[in-house]
Amino acid sequence: MFKLWQNIKKYYRLFELIILVFFLFLILFISSLQIILRNFFQAVEWFDLLLKYSVLWVGMFAASIATYEHKHIRIDLISRFTKGRFKSAIVAIADLFASIICGILLYSFVIYIIKIEYPSTDPAPFLGIKKWVMLLVLPFNFFIMSFRFLVRFFTNVYNFRNNKEEVDTDDFIDLIKNNEGEDK
Amino acid sequence: MIALLLLLLVVLIAIIGAPLFCVIAAMALINFIKSGIGILVVPQELAGIVNIPLIYSIPLFAFAGYLLAHSKASIRLVRLTKAAIGWIPGGLPIVTLITCALFTAFTGASGITIVALGGFLLPALLSENYKEKFSLGLVTSSGSIGLLFPPSLPLILFGVIAGASIDKLFVAGIIPGIVIILTFSVFSIIVSVKQKIPTTKFDFKELTLALNDAKFELPLPILLFLGIYSGKMAISDAAAFTCLYIFIVEMLVLKDIKFKELPKIMKESMVLVGAILIILACSLAATNFLIDQQVPQKLFDSIKDIITNKWTFLIVLNIFLLIVGCLMDIFSALVIIVPLILPIAEAYNVNLIHLGIIFLTNLEIGYLTPPVGMNLFVASIRFGKSIVDIYKGVVVFIGLSLISLVIITYFPLLSTWFIEKPAIVSQWEYTYEDGNVDRIIVKNNGVYLRKKGSLMDIMMDDPYIGKYEIKNDKITLYTEEGKEEYNFELYNDGKKLMFETLSFKKEQRHKIFYNNLINPPLHIKEANLIGKWQQNDDFIEFYFNGHVNLSLNNEDQKDYRYRILDKKKLEFKDDETNTKLICDYKFELNKLKITINKKSYLFDRGESGSDL
């Protein structure tokens, strides 16, 4: 069971990284190509739209990675100057809050896409791909982020109960496993 | 009441360290639910991030910066500057300042400068017998010093959020950026002379070697500079070009970075971009709500009696932004604060570009101020010193930054010297509450045309034609009954004209804002051309709408569209035949000299017809 969890985590992170690398190269390639086309031939109009949506995809997957890497921008006036158990408790509250908000955003996006974007008859921005398909990246990553914040929340609750300070692992299952290893 | 409590709760959660994007999204959600609009607006606004112009330059510049940071470019850069200027007193500190500034400009001040450059600059400073406190302070505060130089990410982000021209911001930041470096440099020279630190000798051979070493990277800033400032390269092009150039040089030519490392570098840079973009997206929902609720207007109304002029406003703004800089990092501060301040700054007639430079200078200081100054923490970890030691080191530099801030704020020309001044010569319109309109056309030759009344009257009636006089910031309009006198000022880069009635009592003065009907507003140079120019039977007449009518050598009148190319050249375009004609122009006293096909004509200002 633990092994399966580890594998899912590993391969999903790899998948995220592949998406990131792919879209970043795509942005670099298309924008460079567009310069050449614009100056010497004719610019392709939908390239600009492709660029915009690629940034959305890069941005959302990157935001999702920032969640497990603990790299989101915060105003952490209090948690920076607290220690030990208390810190775990505070961070747990913040993570639970973040998880709930991402959940609400996920919910609002699902409704929004089903009610407004999916039935929309606007022409597809490029290559026949409808706008709602491009927007799916938002609810998908809010789901992942909500889940990751929830896992962080449990990790910190675990730390709090065991009198430990928040440590930089994003996964309480890792932590339990590690502690078991230490105990033995 | 419940909503207020909820908002307070959200602020509390922000302080305990919830991700900022969640905090902003929560505010937007609460507000939209409270006002009954419903939460479906939130996803719509969030998805609106794709429509922000130039958004894709952000990942490109960030990736380019991280590539540079992971290559050995920093070592080559330090070697080159050291060879070039290391021999003057305070040489090494100045080398530190310049290299850090250039490096930060490209890497976007994410603490990476201290990590990449600090590691060998600090030991070098210590080995030249600079005191530890000074060296620590210098390296730490240099970590954000290049924010004002292109193509820094915060500069681009300000342009994106404020809707300001990024090309102009790129030019505007240069002199203020140099001011900061100069202030620090002067201090460093004083320290070095006081401590009697020996200078090194200038070594020409080393300079040529260092130049050769940096021969691939050196052309980039030069090409960017020439490309952007000549107007040949748009910002989006510059982003792609920079990224591609650095990619090719560092990966393929110099092979500083192995392909194996690439995914890691991409991830690192994109995590920063993701963290910024998601805040930007959420703030689109939150700030639109704040603007719908007229929060900036209310803020302005509450302060306008206390803060009566631009200069006091700027003092208050600086204090406010310094506090913001203490509490927030630069990206979230830009995203949240800029939309709120923008309308207020416009009301005080602060130039948008100047505002951007003031914002960034303040937030640059925010990198150094406790409790959340990022440079302090990065330096503390990088150099293994306690935060308190770092604090002690940077205090002097915060003081120096404040001096630069005052200079940058109160000498707007440092950032706006290249921006052409708008002209009063234009078509202006003021609409009364009852729908009546007051339309004034200000011409070049001291003549104005004016119509007042309903829209119907304006269509039908002939305008009143009178003379006007301008003295400094006072305008006198001569009318049938006598004269009207006002103080005037052009607002928002010429989009609005303010007339203030003159009165000895302050309470009796009031301001009227006329809107410019010409869009984009004319600058003084263009406005000078407007009107009819005559010489015997030849004439040339420039209109507000971009058309020009001319008749030379007794030929038939011809209609062209004109465009000012530069200080000397005009372009006439014939719409029918789609041909272009380039001619020279020059103002000589009150005359206009135009050279077409090597033949010159000298015109006097003539009486022009109606433009209404």
Side-chain angles (χ1 to χ4, degrees), chain B residues 387-401:
Chain B
I387 288 269
V388 182
D389 284 343
I390 310 270
Y391 280 162
K392 283 182 189 157
V394 296
V395 168
V396 181
F397 291 94
I398 294 179
L400 292 170
S401 303

Side-chain angles (χ1 to χ4, degrees), chain A residues 13 17 20-22 24-25 27-29 31-32 34-35 38-39 48-49 51-53 55-56 58-60 62-81 89-91 93-95 97-99 101-102 104-105 107-109 111-113 115-117 131 135 138 142 145 149, chain B residues 10 12-23 25-26 29 39-40 42-44 46-47 49-53 55-57 59-60 63 232 234 236-241 243-244 247 259 262-264 266-279 282 326-329 331-332 371-372 377 391:
Chain A
R13 285 183 184 181
L17 190 61
L20 213 61
V21 171
F22 171 76
L24 189 54
F25 268 127
I27 294 172
L28 180 57
F29 178 71
S31 55
S32 307
Q34 187 78 317
I35 299 178
R38 193 182 311 124
N39 286 314
D48 286 333
L49 288 164
L51 281 175
K52 287 176 173 181
Y53 284 102
V55 173
L56 183 70
V58 165
M60 283 312 292
S64 187
I65 294 175
T67 312
Y68 81 73
E69 292 209 333
H70 204 42
K71 291 234 171 93
H72 274 297
I73 296 171
R74 307 149 189 269
I75 314 173
D76 40 359
L77 280 181
I78 294 180
S79 65
R80 208 189 282 265
F81 299 101
I90 279 182
V91 177
I93 297 171
D95 285 336
F97 169 79
S99 179
I101 294 297
C102 287
I104 299 175
L105 288 173
Y107 166 78
S108 73
F109 263 105
I111 305 285
Y112 173 69
I113 289 178
K115 272 197 178 165
I116 296 173
E117 287 296 345
K131 191 179 163 198
L135 291 185
L138 287 148
F142 279 123
M145 277 192 267
F149 279 123
Chain B
V10 169
L12 188 74
I13 287 178
I15 296 173
I16 68 170
L20 204 60
F21 83 91
C22 292
V23 174
L29 286 166
I39 57 169
L40 277 194
V42 175
Q44 197 180 355
L46 272 174
I49 191 168
V50 293
N51 294 323
I52 292 180
I55 191 91
Y56 60 89
S57 63
L60 286 174
F63 178 44
K232 292 222 166 68
S236 50
D237 296 349
F241 174 75
C243 196
L244 193 67
F247 185 81
F259 269 92
L262 200 59
K264 200 181 129 247
M266 283 183 150
K267 188 169 94 173
E268 240 176 74
S269 61
M270 286 310 106
V271 164
L272 173 73
V273 171
I276 296 171
L277 287 186
I278 197 163
I279 291 185
C282 292
C326 289
L327 301 176
M328 282 188 204
D329 81 299
F331 297 113
S332 35
V372 298
F377 293 95
Y391 280 162

Side-chain angles (χ1 to χ4, degrees), chain B residues 189 240 339 363 405 425 540:
Chain B
I189 293 173
L363 296 176
L405 176 67
V425 171
I540 183 163

